[in-house]
Amino acid sequence: MKVHLIILAAGRSLRYGKKDKLSEQVGGRKLLPSLLFKMEQMKKEWMGYQILVCGENTEKADYTGIRVVNENPEKGISYSVFLALHTLCGLPEWKPQDAVCFCTADQPFLKRRTVENMVEGFLESKKGIGCLFFKDPKNPCVFGGKYVPELLSLTGDTGGKKVLRSHMEDVYFYPAEKEEIWDMDEERTIVIRGAGDLASGVGYVLYQAGYRILMLDVERPACIRRQVAFCQAIYEGVCTVQGVTGRLAAAEEEVKKIWSDKEIPVLIDPECTCLEWVRPMVVIDAILAKKNIGTKRDMAPLTIGLGPGFTAGNDVDLVVETMRGDTLAHVYEEGRALANTGVPGLIEGYGKERVIHAPASGTIRYFYRVGDPVHKGEVIAKVGNTEITAPISGYLRGAIHENYPVVKGLKIMDIEPRMDDRERCFRISDKAEKLGKAIWKAITNWEERCCGN
């Protein structure tokens, strides 16, 4: 028995929104050429023909197999299946007892060896269908020749999964890694849980690196450094962080519109329910709750947790150190970040002195704005009738939103002791920038590693 490989690359990429989806790069490689290279490395005794079904405008990648052009992609995936099988059945080495393996061209992290293992397991199983499996059946799928008539009878935008699901008792399943089964139906999207200042600094760096960002937060964020936090959009509808606009979205269509305007959507979604309609490449938990409040490793091909509360290799793939010091921004592939000390990192020798907590519960009223100089001992705000004095001199760097329900002990303000640069109050912190760059590098390295053979 021979197994003939069919690569489906003629889709219209309606969800993706770009006609040249297969020339997009992941891990420094274009989608289609990368897959073709991997598949052409298959030198197994069972390997038969290779057929690429592509569109009229598909980039002419180097390819030694048979190229079939689908001039009517609007007819759906079933038409690509028909064209491939019609071509295959007319070739001299095709035999009715042979099998056909379908691959889609938009799985950038699919490993050649995984496809080989799946096909070999299928052949040994003596079953009629084989596929990858992660939670449920995934591509690629291989079908014995007896199922070719059913595949030829498919209509519309229906692929081989319909045939597979009709014969589950005859299916061999080969377990796959979560990143391998991810298909790039959308642009490289990163969902960030939390939209405070550190999360926003990370989002800003990744946005500038070309990723599409979606930020999530609670209905009333308790952020101090609001001038550099995209969560401010939840209060104001729109905000700007160093020239990048964040805009509040209420639903999927609004998120997509904001993306199309090259802005960052901010969604009130503490439970991360958006994963029902967006399939991100990366999920980052930047809530900084000092514990994991719902992030799971299988939420995305790559999951990253910031700070304590996560275990790399367990509930997330990577953990990033957030404590100031020599290990700040270190990326852990195993283990945990340093435990929370409850003491802010030192700036100009000041740690806990530069952070102000509410002395009482109530409504807060400020006498200074962010960026104003304040002096040690002077009254800078009130919570109810309780006065708050500045513990040190410097610039008022952050202040919780006046409409936030302040409770005693809550962190409500911080002071920047460095007086050489007032604009520092309105810029992403060096800490946030360092975290963002470390995460960018970690994602880039992961992409390159996963895109290999």
Side-chain angles (χ1 to χ4, degrees), residues 7-122:
I7 300 170
L8 301 174
R12 292 184 292 167
S13 306
L14 296 179
R15 284 188 64 188
Y16 194 77
K18 291 185 178 181
K19 294 182 179 179
D20 60 344
K21 167 184 172 180
L22 296 180
S23 66
E24 291 283 1
Q25 292 198 3
V26 179
R29 304 182 184 189
K30 292 183 179 180
L31 282 182
L32 182 56
S34 176
L35 178 67
L36 295 180
F37 175 78
K38 293 175 187 177
M39 297 302 102
E40 287 187 307
Q41 301 308 302
M42 288 190 186
K43 307 296 182 184
K44 298 293 184 176
E45 66 281 357
W46 45 258
M47 192 70 217
Y49 292 111
Q50 288 198 23
I51 298 175
L52 169 65
V53 183
C54 58
E56 292 180 284
N57 299 318
T58 300
E59 181 181 345
K60 297 296 188 293
D62 291 336
Y63 181 60
T64 59
I66 300 166
R67 183 186 294 266
V68 176
V69 176
N70 182 348
E71 298 178 349
N72 304 106
E74 71 280 357
K75 292 184 178 180
I77 192 173
S78 66
Y79 190 58
S80 287
V81 171
F82 170 81
L83 289 174
L85 292 177
H86 180 74
T87 300
L88 178 61
C89 292
L91 295 173
E93 290 188 22
W94 162 256
K95 294 179 176 57
Q97 67 267 26
D98 286 351
V100 183
C101 181
F102 290 94
C103 289
T104 58
D106 59 356
Q107 290 178 258
F109 306 132
L110 180 65
K111 294 282 194 295
R112 169 181 58 82
R113 187 58 187 158
T114 298
V115 180
E116 292 174 344
N117 289 344
M118 184 270 288
V119 171
E120 289 169 356
F122 157 76

Side-chain angles (χ1 to χ4, degrees), residues 338-366:
L338 296 173
N340 178 39
T341 64
V343 179
L346 293 177
I347 297 179
E348 294 290 298
Y350 295 105
K352 63 181 180 180
E353 301 93 341
R354 60 186 177 86
V355 178
I356 301 172
H357 295 81
S361 300
T363 301
I364 191 166
R365 180 162 57 98
Y366 296 109

Side-chain angles (χ1 to χ4, degrees), residues 106-243:
D106 59 356
Q107 290 178 258
F109 306 132
L110 180 65
K111 294 282 194 295
R112 169 181 58 82
R113 187 58 187 158
T114 298
V115 180
E116 292 174 344
N117 289 344
M118 184 270 288
V119 171
E120 289 169 356
F122 157 76
L123 293 172
E124 292 175 5
S125 73
K126 306 301 181 182
K127 293 201 171 186
I129 302 173
C131 68
L132 295 188
F133 187 87
F134 185 83
K135 295 185 177 181
D136 55 23
K138 303 293 183 182
N139 289 318
C141 297
V142 58
F143 296 88
K146 67 180 180 180
Y147 289 111
V148 167
E150 284 186 58
L151 292 167
L152 286 170
S153 70
L154 296 171
T155 59
D157 202 27
T158 302
K161 288 283 183 66
K162 180 179 180 181
V163 177
L164 181 150
R165 294 185 186 282
S166 298
H167 303 279
M168 292 292 284
E169 76 289 346
D170 196 26
V171 180
Y172 165 78
F173 298 106
Y174 182 79
E177 299 296 329
K178 60 173 181 166
E179 66 270 11
E180 292 190 277
I181 55 90
W182 182 74
D183 52 43
M184 197 170 172
D185 281 344
E186 301 172 339
E187 294 182 50
R188 293 185 304 165
T189 301
I190 297 177
V191 168
I192 301 178
R193 302 191 70 195
D197 60 309
L198 290 183
S200 297
V202 171
Y204 174 87
V205 170
L206 295 174
Y207 171 88
Q208 297 290 3
Y211 293 94
R212 194 170 67 170
I213 307 299
L214 172 60
M215 306 204 73
L216 315 179
D217 216 321
V218 296
E219 187 174 1
R220 303 185 83 173
C223 181
I224 305 301
R225 296 205 64 212
R226 294 179 287 119
Q227 281 68 24
V228 290
F230 288 113
C231 68
Q232 185 66 5
I234 293 176
Y235 290 105
E236 307 295 338
V238 64
C239 68
T240 302
V241 176
Q242 289 186 201

Side-chain angles (χ1 to χ4, degrees), residues 246-279:
R247 192 175 300 275
L248 180 63
E252 177 181 356
E253 290 308 312
E254 289 183 23
V255 168
K256 292 179 177 178
K257 173 62 169 60
I258 294 168
W259 276 335
S260 69
D261 291 337
K262 307 302 181 184
E263 298 174 344
I264 293 180
V266 182
L267 194 64
I268 299 173
D269 185 12
E271 304 301 322
C272 213
T273 60
C274 65
L275 297 185
E276 296 174 3
W277 48 265
V278 64
R279 298 185 68 244

Side-chain angles (χ1 to χ4, degrees), residues 423-442:
E423 292 306 308
R424 188 182 280 117
C425 299
F426 305 97
R427 291 198 303 266
I428 293 168
S429 68
D430 56 343
K431 178 178 178 178
E433 185 176 14
K434 188 170 183 177
L435 291 172
K437 289 180 177 179
I439 291 170
W440 176 21
K441 182 178 180 181

